[in-house]
């Protein structure tokens, strides 16, 4: 059926009364909007997203799509646009952020806000984070409206501020004060993407879960004293031992639906040695050696298996001849989505086993709420797999649990099933310094085009 539909499109035949899109004109328009959005400097901080929102508002309203603006700070607005469906099903939310991380212009070959096209790439801050998703959301809205696609659910577009720097202006403002404007059954946002290695498409990654950042403080206390008379109770000594014990401890491994499917599917596109490891993670005879291998060689995979602990700050002492009465370390704890943090702190206390060291929660890094993984058995995820196979030459879809945190956690914690998608990028491009948050940033122009069409067809598959 899908092939037939594509055939009808390519022959320019009308489909259910809708005129087929003129793809050449559409892609020229996509490029125009993409370059215009990249050329708006929305660096965060300070995060002045207003020009991007004004640009999107104009483009949407020109098409007859109504727009609402929600702002905690008038310079940092969020935009919401809605295409009405029949109401048979709950809405689909398309989300992207308008801000970008800062740049050091001296590091750029092309101007960071130039959107220069060169050798098949478009260069500029935000080209793969997140103005690619932003333009895809815009073009999907325009195309659905233009074609008069009948919708069984509303399609909502949220262009949010502050994702990179301060969620107070963006997702937190929307969730706390205007949730009804974005409430949906499903959400498509950043966080995934097709992986190309050595020019070959490897897989399409779809983010379905993420770990939750939690800070933990270790505070060691003892009597102060003269440095010439060492004390067994020295706070620095106790703290160092506590940090060493915690670092040597591997919290228990636990898989969820996402990570189980991830390793199973990854094994099918890996070398025999790798596949042997991915297929035997829970094999009692092999798991210990595999986990040790991950800890040394594949730290991302190690982190996906467990709540992880990384000691990242240590403070203590102020002069060489004084034994300090206090020393403190901060642990970056990245919890599995279902972790019980109160119980986890108890386990850390048991591992340290030292009454001189207090274990306390720190203010939560990033401020992200606990969020359950999104489900893999929904019609939306099935649509992602189907449409991805069609657009990415049959490549396998890997559900991903991100070890870092995203704004999707706010929506997942409210029960929205969120799926992170993105264009194909070369896995070599990040290490070369052209990835998201790198010194420079670029996107393959052909992949931007493919992603926008994929995005539109996916939204249509979910909402039609
Ligand atoms: Zn981003």
């Amino acid at each position: 059926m899908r092939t037939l539909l594509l055939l009808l499109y390519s022959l320019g035949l009308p489909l259910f009364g809708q005129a087929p899109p003129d793809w050449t004109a559409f892609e020229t328009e996509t490029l125009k909007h993409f370059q215009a959005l990249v050329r708006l400097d929305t660096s965060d901080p300070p995060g002045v997203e207003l020009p991007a929102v004004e640009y999107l508002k104009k483009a949407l309203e020109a098409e007859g799509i109504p727009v609402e603006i929600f702002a905690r700070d008038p310079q940092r607005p969020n935009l919401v646009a809605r295409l009405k469906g029949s109401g048979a099903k709950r809405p689909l939310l398309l989300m992207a952020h308008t801000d970008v991380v800062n740049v050091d212009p001296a590091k750029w070959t092309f101007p960071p806000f130039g959107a220069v096209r060169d050798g098949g790439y478009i260069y500029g801050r935000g080209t793969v984070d997140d103005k690619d998703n932003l333009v895809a959301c815009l073009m999907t809205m325009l195309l659905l409206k233009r074609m008069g696609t009948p919708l069984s659910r509303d399609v909502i577009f949220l262009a949010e501020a502050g994702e990179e720097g301060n969620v107070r202006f963006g997702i937190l403002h929307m969730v706390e004060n205007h949730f009804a404007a974005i409430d949906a059954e499903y959400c498509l946002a950043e966080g995934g993407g097709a992986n190309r290695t050595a020019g070959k498409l490897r897989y399409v990654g779809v983010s379905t879960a993420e770990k939750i950042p939690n800070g933990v403080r270790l505070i060691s206390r003892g009597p102060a004293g003269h440095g010439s008379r060492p004390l067994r109770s020295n706070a620095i000594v106790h703290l160092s031992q506590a940090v060493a014990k915690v670092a040597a401890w591997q919290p228990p491994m636990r898989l969820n639906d996402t990570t189980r499917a991830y390793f199973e599917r990854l094994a099918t596109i890996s070398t025999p040695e790798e596949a042997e490891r991915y297929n035997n993670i829970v094999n009692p005879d092999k798991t210990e050696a595999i986990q040790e291998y991950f800890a040394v060689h594949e730290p991302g995979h190690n982190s996906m298996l467990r709540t992880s602990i990384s000691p990242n700050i240590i403070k203590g002492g102020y002069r060489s001849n004084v034994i300090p009465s206090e020393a403190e370390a901060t642990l970056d704890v990245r919890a599995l989505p279902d972790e019980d943090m109160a119980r986890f702190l108890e386990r850390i206390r048991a591992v340290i086993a030292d009454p001189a060291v207090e274990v306390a929660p720190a203010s939560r890094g990033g401020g992200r709420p606990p969020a359950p993984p999104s489900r893999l058995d929904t019609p939306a995820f099935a649509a992602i797999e189907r449409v991805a196979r069609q657009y990415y030459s049959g490549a396998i879809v890997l559900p991903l649990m991100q070890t870092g945190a995203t704004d999707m956690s706010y929506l997942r914690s409210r029960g929205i099933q969120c799926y992170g998608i993105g264009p194909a990028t070369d896995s070599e491009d990040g290490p070369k310094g052209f990835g998201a948050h790198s010194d420079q940033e670029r996107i393959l122009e052909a992949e931007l085009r493919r992603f926008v069409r994929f995005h539109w067809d996916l939204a249509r598959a979910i909402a039609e």
Side-chain angles (χ1 to χ4, degrees):
M1 182 63 176
R2 181 64 62 183
T3 327
L4 176 64
L5 295 184
L6 280 178
L7 185 68
L8 291 173
Y9 273 132
S10 60
L11 294 174
L13 296 176
L15 190 68
F16 311 130
Q18 302 165 14
D22 173 350
W23 287 117
T24 313
F26 180 75
E27 287 179 343
T28 306
E29 192 185 350
T30 299
L31 183 66
K32 182 192 84 176
H33 288 314
F34 184 67
Q35 286 185 301
L37 288 165
V38 171
R39 285 173 185 153
L40 297 170
D41 178 354
T42 51
S43 297
D44 185 6
V48 177
E49 292 92 344
L50 180 61
V53 163
E54 282 172 340
Y55 184 91
L56 294 168
K57 183 172 187 284
K58 204 168 146 216
L60 290 158
E61 286 180 345
E63 205 74 27
I65 302 172
V67 164
E68 284 180 287
I69 304 293
F70 301 96
R72 188 189 292 274
D73 171 340
Q75 293 299 307
R76 312 201 61 181
N78 301 281
L79 172 147
V80 174
R82 183 183 291 257
L83 292 172
K84 293 296 281 179
S86 71
K89 295 175 186 164
R90 294 180 56 229
L92 165 66
L93 176 65
L94 310 174
M95 179 168 85
H97 60 87
T98 47
D99 61 331
V100 296
V101 291
N102 296 101
V103 295
D104 175 358
K107 303 235 167 82
W108 288 71
T109 308
F110 299 104
F113 301 102
V116 174
R117 298 166 75 193
D118 186 76
Y121 292 95
I122 305 171
Y123 288 80
R125 181 55 91 214
T127 47
V128 288
D129 181 15
D130 186 29
K131 288 179 174 168
D132 49 342
N133 265 289
L134 191 64
V135 84
C137 293
L138 172 66
M139 299 315 292
T140 294
M141 295 295 281
L142 297 184
L143 202 47
L144 290 175
K145 178 71 163 62
R146 213 169 276 172
M147 294 181 67
T149 309
L151 302 170
S152 61
R153 54 175 102 231
D154 290 3
V155 177
I156 307 168
F157 170 25
L158 167 60
E160 49 148 0
E163 193 275 342
E164 300 288 4
N166 196 330
V167 293
R168 245 169 35 86
F169 298 104
I171 195 68
L172 200 54
H173 180 60
M174 294 306 300
V175 165
E176 284 182 348
N177 304 311
H178 305 287
F179 188 63
I182 57 167
D183 191 10
E185 180 172 16
Y186 300 120
C187 169
L188 299 175
E190 67 175 337
N195 174 295
R196 244 176 47 157
T197 299
K200 224 178 139 268
L201 215 49
R202 239 185 127 220
Y203 61 82
V204 176
V206 177
S207 158
T208 54
E210 64 188 56
K211 296 181 83 180
I212 314 298
N214 283 279
V216 173
R217 292 160 68 219
L218 307 182
I219 309 119
S220 159
R221 294 186 185 90
H226 199 286
S228 65
R229 293 186 294 276
L231 296 173
R232 291 272 164 92
S233 54
N234 185 317
I236 287 182
V237 172
H238 281 255
L239 183 71
S240 311
Q241 287 165 347
V243 168
K245 282 185 200 163
V246 164
W249 178 50
Q250 279 277 56
M253 176 184 94
R254 193 158 70 246
L255 293 175
N256 56 39
D257 286 349
T258 289
T259 50
R260 207 172 291 118
Y262 169 82
F263 284 113
E264 267 170 30
R265 294 181 188 190
L266 184 61
T268 67
I269 53 165
S270 297
T271 65
E273 305 89 83
E274 288 166 340
E276 163 79 8
R277 281 190 289 272
Y278 302 146
N279 283 326
N280 283 285
I281 290 170
V282 295
N283 179 337
D285 298 329
K286 300 187 173 171
T287 186
E288 210 174 312
I290 293 168
Q291 291 186 49
E292 179 59 21
Y293 182 91
F294 285 170
V296 176
H297 301 283
E298 297 177 9
H301 284 157
N302 182 42
S303 178
M304 282 169 63
L305 294 181
R306 54 178 37 88
T307 294
S308 60
I309 303 175
S310 181
N312 291 351
I313 303 175
I314 192 156
K315 291 186 295 202
Y318 56 99
R319 55 182 295 165
S320 64
N321 60 355
V322 174
I323 298 173
S325 57
E326 197 171 301
E328 184 175 324
T330 306
L331 312 177
D332 184 359
V333 174
R334 299 298 175 118
L336 289 175
D338 65 347
E339 192 65 78
D340 176 339
M341 274 311 291
R343 273 189 56 204
F344 194 78
L345 289 188
E346 277 309 317
R347 302 190 78 149
I348 293 180
R349 286 185 192 105
V351 166
I352 293 173
D354 182 347
V357 178
E358 182 194 346
V359 177
S363 63
R364 201 184 266 131
R368 257 91 180 192
S374 295
R375 291 165 46 175
L376 306 185
D377 62 355
T378 60
F381 190 75
I384 293 173
E385 292 192 283
R386 195 173 65 242
V387 180
R389 268 198 300 274
Q390 178 196 328
Y391 278 83
Y392 291 92
S393 18
I396 192 167
V397 169
L398 286 188
L400 309 173
M401 181 172 74
Q402 295 176 265
T403 54
T406 78
D407 279 358
M408 282 189 287
S409 59
Y410 291 96
L411 303 175
R412 288 200 178 108
S413 72
R414 297 278 185 130
I416 301 179
Q417 302 293 311
C418 299
Y419 303 103
I421 56 175
T425 52
D426 289 317
S427 58
E428 298 86 356
D429 234 23
K432 279 189 206 159
F434 291 108
H437 299 211
S438 292
D439 279 347
Q440 302 188 70
E441 191 173 335
R442 68 183 181 187
I443 188 167
L444 284 157
E445 194 173 318
E447 293 302 340
L448 176 69
R449 285 201 294 270
R450 167 151 62 174
F451 177 60
V452 171
R453 281 171 74 158
F454 163 74
H455 192 276
W456 158 73
D457 219 353
L458 176 58
R460 203 172 58 126
I462 296 173
E464 200 166 32

